[in-house]
Amino acid sequence: MRFFLDVEQREFARSLDGMLAAAGTPGAARAWAAGDTAPGRALWSRLAEAGVFALAVPQRHDGLGPLPVELAVAFTELGRHAVPGPLVETVAGAALLGRLDDLQGLDEDGAAASWLPEIASGKAVVSLCMPAVTGPYALDPDTADAVLVVEGDTVRLAETTGPVQPSADPARRLARPLGGTFLARGPAVAAAAAHAAEVAALATAAQSLGLGRALLDRTVAYVKQRTQFGVAIGSFQAVKHRLADALIALEFAQPLLHSAALALAEGADRSSVEVAAAKVTAGEAAYAAARAALQLHGAVGYTEELDLALWIRKARPLRDAWGAPAACRARVLAP
């Protein structure tokens, strides 16, 4: 199996990297954490213009997809630049609605036709809550235009949310969705929800990979400049080994991510296993990179004023979101 990205996919990644590098994402992330979503929504619109959200929306609903490989490419860059908001939940919500639209008689209220074009264009921000997978809280439901909740064989559109709960990452605002109207019900909803959860896990794994690479790049640059005993600390053998371990873990995760995206694109029987393997590997690699970054930056690594904190504080929540390590390992090892 080929794991290399083609020319167009690599160029797509470079264009997103360039756009986000110039967009001031640290400022948008800090504003989002403080409750000011305007900079984040402006960035959201630019991502939509680049086609990011359309990758998860079927072509019949004004999208470009579903294109899991390109989605993984895009979310790697979103993780690299610590873009705030329910990005994963929006594309997973699109995957849920798209699959419901494929299942005759399930999309009773025409929710797919109503919401999918809005998601593709960036006009709609969606949060998705699956208590069996995510727990009872949704990400950023207070700022979303729609909050979808999947419980058992039903999908409902939440009407309101409870109070915002604290999170390890201030830019990840959690609240419990309340009430709502049913959009779809029936035993086949479980299949659509399982597919959406796979898309969410894949996108989260990609975010983790990009996050880990950003942390490693910043740490390598820092240890080249920071001196101790008259020499750069990057010349110390222990520092080199710590960074090498982080790099190897990230390099190992990347082909697993691409393989999972291909499996999902092809509808392979083992796609859920491959996605779980990519999720746990990328999540653990990013978390290890965050721990190395924190240690090797020394005391300055603990300061909130340093933008590095925006990346460090995302590592553990992303590792656990849409499939904690233990759950992913259990799926991989299941007969």
Side-chain angles (χ1 to χ4, degrees):
M1 183 177 290
R2 186 176 67 87
F3 297 116
F4 292 108
L5 300 175
D6 62 29
V7 174
E8 290 185 358
Q9 291 163 343
R10 293 197 299 271
E11 183 57 35
F12 180 46
R14 281 193 294 270
S15 67
L16 286 177
D17 182 35
M19 181 189 77
L20 293 171
T25 54
R30 292 187 186 280
W32 193 280
D36 178 10
T37 61
R41 290 296 292 253
L43 183 57
W44 194 285
S45 297
R46 296 185 63 185
L47 291 171
E49 290 174 2
V52 170
F53 304 111
L55 297 172
V57 175
Q59 294 182 20
R60 64 183 179 276
H61 290 294
D62 300 334
L64 301 172
L67 296 172
V69 176
E70 285 74 11
L71 202 65
V73 170
F75 272 77
T76 299
E77 298 307 317
L78 299 182
R80 189 190 302 274
H81 292 278
V83 178
L87 301 156
V88 168
E89 288 69 22
T90 293
V91 297
L96 174 70
L97 292 174
R99 185 57 60 94
L100 287 176
D101 192 45
D102 291 335
L103 300 172
Q104 293 296 325
L106 287 180
D107 189 16
E108 297 169 356
D109 296 327
S114 299
W115 287 105
L116 287 175
E118 297 291 295
I119 292 173
S121 67
K123 295 178 181 178
V125 173
V126 175
S127 189
L128 175 64
C129 178
M130 295 186 187
V133 180
T134 64
Y137 297 102
L139 179 65
D140 296 315
D142 56 327
T143 63
D145 300 295
V147 181
L148 302 174
V149 182
V150 180
E151 293 179 301
D153 62 352
T154 64
V155 180
R156 61 183 170 89
L157 184 64
E159 292 179 346
T160 186
T161 61
V164 174
Q165 302 293 316
S167 169
D169 175 9
R172 292 177 64 86
R173 300 161 55 82
L174 304 174
R176 188 188 294 266
L178 304 172
T181 57
F182 287 108
L183 295 182
R185 66 185 74 207
V189 168
H195 171 67
E198 283 189 34
V199 171
L202 179 75
T204 305
Q207 270 191 312
S208 294
L209 179 63
L211 176 83
R213 290 200 176 281
L215 284 165
L216 181 60
D217 290 344
R218 288 168 177 261
T219 306
V220 168
Y222 180 78
V223 300
K224 289 180 179 179
Q225 299 173 358
R226 171 69 173 172
T227 59
Q228 189 72 32
F229 308 115
V231 297
I233 64 172
S235 64
F236 299 160
Q237 198 74 359
V239 172
K240 291 180 179 179
H241 286 174
R242 189 71 185 271
L243 293 173
D245 288 343
L247 175 61
I248 290 171
L250 291 167
E251 289 293 316
F252 185 71
Q254 181 166 314
L256 291 179
L257 176 67
H258 292 166
S259 176
L262 284 171
L264 196 56
E266 296 168 357
D269 292 339
R270 286 182 56 83
S271 63
S272 64
V273 175
E274 296 209 30
V275 169
K279 175 66 174 62
V280 65
T281 306
E284 294 285 28
Y287 187 51
R291 293 176 64 186
L294 184 62
Q295 180 183 24
L296 296 179
H297 274 79
V300 72
Y302 288 88
T303 62
E304 285 292 333
E305 293 77 11
L306 190 69
D307 284 346
L308 183 77
L310 299 173
W311 279 261
I312 287 178
R313 297 189 70 164
K314 285 185 180 298
R316 185 161 185 169
L318 287 178
R319 185 194 69 170
D320 296 337
W322 292 104
C328 290
R329 290 190 177 97
R331 178 168 294 184
V332 172
L333 296 174

